[in-house]
Amino acid sequence: MYEIIQKLHSGWAYVASLLLVIAVVNSIIGLVSKKEYKDTDKKIGLFALGAIHTQAVIGLILYFVSPIGFSGFSMSDSALRLTSMEHPLINIIGIVLMTIGWVKHKKLTSSESKFKTVAIYYGLGLLLILSRVPWGLWFK
């Protein structure tokens, strides 16, 4: 069961990352070109947020069924620390940032401020997530 969830977590990461990159690029393009914020833009941001939340749920399930589990709290092994502590913690912070950005953008009225908020919060979340991906394990 662990291997299946791990493959799902790794595979879904491609989808979630791609949607997140699309949402950030779309927001930057909308901001720079001074486009009107439309339903399509809202859907792109929402799909990215949904995909990243799904990834987080799969990751949390994986964390608790993992044979490694909480053993990563030993700070001696950097690879184990990355997968057991840094990766989950930093990714949760990134997802919280994106969620805050989504909530804030819904309250705004101007297109420019909506695009700017999504670009900043989703962009920071994306940077945090990419900073703690265990790249060596992802491409195996």
Side-chain angles (χ1 to χ4, degrees):
M1 180 164 133
Y2 168 73
E3 290 81 19
I4 294 170
I5 297 171
Q6 186 178 29
K7 297 281 187 213
L8 178 62
H9 185 63
S10 294
W12 189 255
Y14 290 106
V15 174
S17 299
L18 178 64
L19 287 172
L20 193 52
V21 168
I22 290 170
V24 171
V25 169
N26 179 63
S27 292
I28 292 170
I29 290 171
L31 182 62
V32 171
S33 65
K34 301 197 184 304
K35 281 184 8 178
E36 187 67 31
Y37 191 84
K38 297 185 179 178
D39 278 344
T40 307
D41 302 309
K42 184 178 180 179
K43 287 177 185 174
I44 290 171
L46 187 59
F47 288 152
L49 190 65
I52 209 70
H53 278 139
T54 302
Q55 178 70 355
V57 169
I58 296 167
L60 287 171
I61 292 169
L62 179 65
Y63 188 78
F64 290 109
V65 300
S66 170
I68 298 169
F70 294 106
S71 63
F73 291 112
S74 164
M75 298 293 171
S76 59
D77 183 3
S78 63
L80 189 60
R81 185 181 63 238
L82 173 66
T83 56
S84 295
M85 191 180 75
E86 293 173 5
H87 175 73
L89 180 63
I90 298 300
N91 287 354
I92 288 170
I93 292 169
I95 293 167
V96 166
L97 272 175
M98 287 183 271
T99 306
I100 290 169
W102 179 257
V103 170
K104 286 182 76 145
H105 115 281
K106 289 191 329 183
K107 296 176 183 176
L108 300 171
T109 55
S110 75
S111 293
E112 180 183 4
S113 59
K114 285 180 181 269
F115 280 126
K116 186 177 182 180
T117 301
V118 171
I120 290 171
Y121 282 90
Y122 278 40
L124 287 173
L126 178 62
L127 286 175
L128 285 173
I129 288 169
L130 292 178
S131 76
R132 291 295 155 230
V133 170
W135 296 105
L137 297 174
W138 204 18
F139 292 118
K140 278 188 179 181

